Amino acid sequence: MRLNRAKLLGKWGEKKVSLLLGLLGNGYKVFNDVIIKNGNWTSQIDHLIISHYGLFVIETKNYKGWIYGGVDQEQWTQNIWGHKTSLSNPIRQNRGHIMALKKILPEYSVNQYKSIIVFSSKAKLKTFLPKELNVIYTWQLLFRIRSFKEYILTDENIKEITDVLQSQMLTAKEYKKIHVSNVKQITKRKENLVQSGKCPRCGRELVLRKGRYGRFYGCSNYPKCTFTLKKES
């Protein structure tokens, strides 16, 4: 029931953002709930906007409570009155979405993509994150998108990107099922690696370390690999 409720809340959060993005006007092409092929897998993007100002890749997080997390942490933490749960690092998630888009749009550079992470106004971000990472609240979304003023895509670019995207989008229900199945497989693989004492990013050994906030497991390949995992009490 908790999983179903979380899924419904997530969809409701995406719906609210979809309605909000509809206010941007004709200069912005908005695509919601985009699924594209990513090698043997799929990548699901909450919202994608194509405009003269770049490709805006938006990840929606309809959470509440206090949210803690660093740029390179594998997992972030949600704290509601002392009850803590983990969530995937949305910055890393969106980087993955951008890399998937680059596979079908290889001629466009990274600086033409704008990653935006949108949290519900019921959440409170408790970790300082640089402004350029665009980790914001829902009420800031339109202001942030409209703050980009530099033309970096031509009309021809926009048409080409739109045509490629529409030809690559997977919208049928069966592909959504494949996406969910793939995510579960990736998660299971990471869990198995961690349980065997291996880093899920690079496969090197995990070592127990002591930090400012207690004991944690870190990759032995640090600083090349920055994976960390909090040690459970």
Side-chain angles (χ1 to χ4, degrees):
M1 289 179 66
R2 281 197 298 267
L3 287 174
N4 288 335
R5 183 172 183 272
K7 187 182 293 186
L8 287 172
L9 287 173
K11 287 298 180 184
W12 173 235
E14 291 176 27
K15 182 64 177 177
K16 287 193 293 184
V17 171
S18 299
L19 294 171
L20 197 60
L21 294 176
L23 301 175
L24 282 170
N26 295 329
Y28 300 84
K29 291 182 178 292
V30 179
F31 296 87
N32 300 302
D33 195 16
V34 175
I35 297 181
I36 57 174
K37 286 184 179 178
N38 185 6
N40 294 326
W41 306 88
T42 56
S43 187
Q44 191 269 334
I45 301 166
D46 291 339
H47 315 279
L48 177 62
I49 301 172
I50 306 170
S51 74
H52 289 113
Y53 314 104
L55 291 92
F56 295 87
V57 184
I58 302 172
E59 176 72 17
T60 302
K61 294 297 182 187
N62 193 30
Y63 285 84
K64 61 181 179 180
W66 290 357
I67 307 295
Y68 297 87
V71 176
D72 293 311
Q73 283 183 290
E74 189 80 10
Q75 297 288 320
W76 285 16
T77 300
Q78 176 192 38
N79 186 335
I80 302 177
W81 300 106
H83 178 70
K84 297 180 181 180
T85 55
S86 297
L87 62 143
S88 297
N89 180 339
I91 297 174
R92 289 176 56 84
Q93 277 186 297
N94 233 24
R95 285 176 184 167
H97 296 156
I98 290 172
M99 295 309 295
L101 286 167
K102 279 187 60 59
K103 288 179 181 178
I104 64 172
L105 297 163
E107 61 272 38
Y108 295 95
S109 63
V110 171
N111 64 7
Q112 291 173 305
Y113 292 87
K114 313 298 180 185
S115 172
I116 300 181
I117 316 297
V118 185
F119 276 91
S120 161
S121 299
K122 294 180 180 179
K124 178 66 175 178
L125 297 168
K126 301 296 286 185
T127 305
F128 170 77
L129 296 166
K131 183 179 178 180
E132 59 267 24
L133 293 176
N134 297 313
V135 182
I136 59 175
Y137 297 107
T138 307
W139 63 268
Q140 297 174 299
L141 180 57
L142 295 186
F143 296 101
R144 185 59 55 90
I145 293 171
R146 287 170 175 158
S147 71
F148 292 90
K149 304 290 187 182
E150 181 184 359
Y151 268 47
I152 57 177
L153 293 175
T154 65
D155 289 338
E156 291 75 16
N157 294 150
I158 292 173
K159 184 181 185 306
E160 179 185 39
I161 292 169
T162 302
D163 290 345
V164 171
L165 182 65
Q166 289 177 330
S167 70
Q168 295 290 327
M169 283 172 57
L170 310 174
T171 56
K173 290 183 179 180
E174 59 265 28
Y175 287 113
K176 292 189 178 182
K177 289 180 181 178
I178 291 172
H179 172 72
V180 172
S181 175
N182 289 341
V183 170
K184 288 180 179 178
Q185 288 183 52
I186 293 171
T187 302
K188 187 63 177 177
R189 175 183 169 275
K190 288 182 178 179
E191 289 175 351
N192 290 339
L193 283 169
V194 170
Q195 287 174 5
S196 63
K198 302 289 185 181
C199 173
R201 288 192 201 169
C202 68
R204 297 286 287 271
E205 296 290 331
L206 293 176
V207 294
L208 186 62
R209 296 193 173 105
K210 186 176 181 180
R212 182 178 177 183
Y213 300 106
R215 290 178 175 270
F216 66 96
Y217 290 100
C219 182
S220 58
N221 198 27
Y222 179 85
K224 289 184 179 179
C225 179
T226 56
F227 174 80
T228 60
L229 178 70
K230 183 179 178 181
K231 184 181 185 301
E232 297 296 332
S233 302

